[in-house]
Amino acid sequence: MSRVIRFGVALILGLAFLMTATPAQAAPAHSADALTAAVRVLRYDASRAAEFRSAVDQAAQIWNSSVSNVRLVAGSPADFVVLADNGWPRAQPTSLGRGTVWMGRQATAEGHNPLRIAAHEIGHILGLPDRRTGRCTDLMSGASAGTSCTNPNPNAAERAEVQRNFAGSTPAIDFGRIYADIPEQAAF
């Protein structure tokens, strides 16, 4: 009989603990914290990126460590596809987080860093436009920073802009446009 009493007491105490602990620990789904903490997962397919596959995966990790409300993962079905070709790097974002990236061999043959190119082109998919500042600290300055620039990291302003884009702001990019990387434009 004492086992039944101990079980009953343990059950009541356990339920009482759950009733008092749960409301303090769980945030309502409609709270502001829950909305800002939402992470949008974007799947990318780099299976046709050839020798650039590693650079694309590294660039995805750079973006993952740079922003908190979007996460890039390799997988299918893909939100964006990365291809290798012999032209200049370019991207065609079709909507925020969706589109196509081409990793152009011509730019790497001229000495541009593949990891910087991959991070820059993914930046277009995340809603960032080209900004030809010539500064190596600006990821979206692309090739205007020169072949000696190998920085693949977005700066604070670029990180904040992506955060805003995925929090509902209107991106400063034209969807459907191909952001082509031709030597005359000198930009990835």
Side-chain angles (χ1 to χ4, degrees), residues 66-168:
S66 298
V67 295
S68 61
N69 61 352
V70 64
R71 176 136 177 92
L72 304 174
V73 295
S76 183
D79 294 296
F80 68 97
V81 176
V82 184
L83 309 168
D85 72 3
N86 293 325
W88 278 87
R90 59 203 180 278
Q92 184 177 27
T94 55
S95 64
L96 187 61
R98 296 182 175 275
T100 304
V101 166
W102 291 268
M103 295 291 296
R105 292 183 180 101
Q106 190 172 355
T108 57
E110 292 191 14
H112 293 282
N113 181 274
L115 179 55
R116 179 173 168 84
I117 293 169
H120 173 95
E121 298 303 339
I122 290 172
H124 290 311
I125 299 297
L126 300 178
L128 300 177
D130 283 317
R131 296 192 172 100
R132 295 177 183 95
T133 64
R135 293 189 301 256
C136 188
T137 55
D138 299 342
L139 177 62
M140 298 314 290
S141 70
S144 72
T147 56
S148 64
C149 177
T150 60
N151 173 35
N153 300 300
N155 64 31
E158 293 163 336
R159 292 189 306 267
E161 187 173 352
V162 169
Q163 289 282 132
R164 286 191 305 274
N165 290 345
F166 283 88

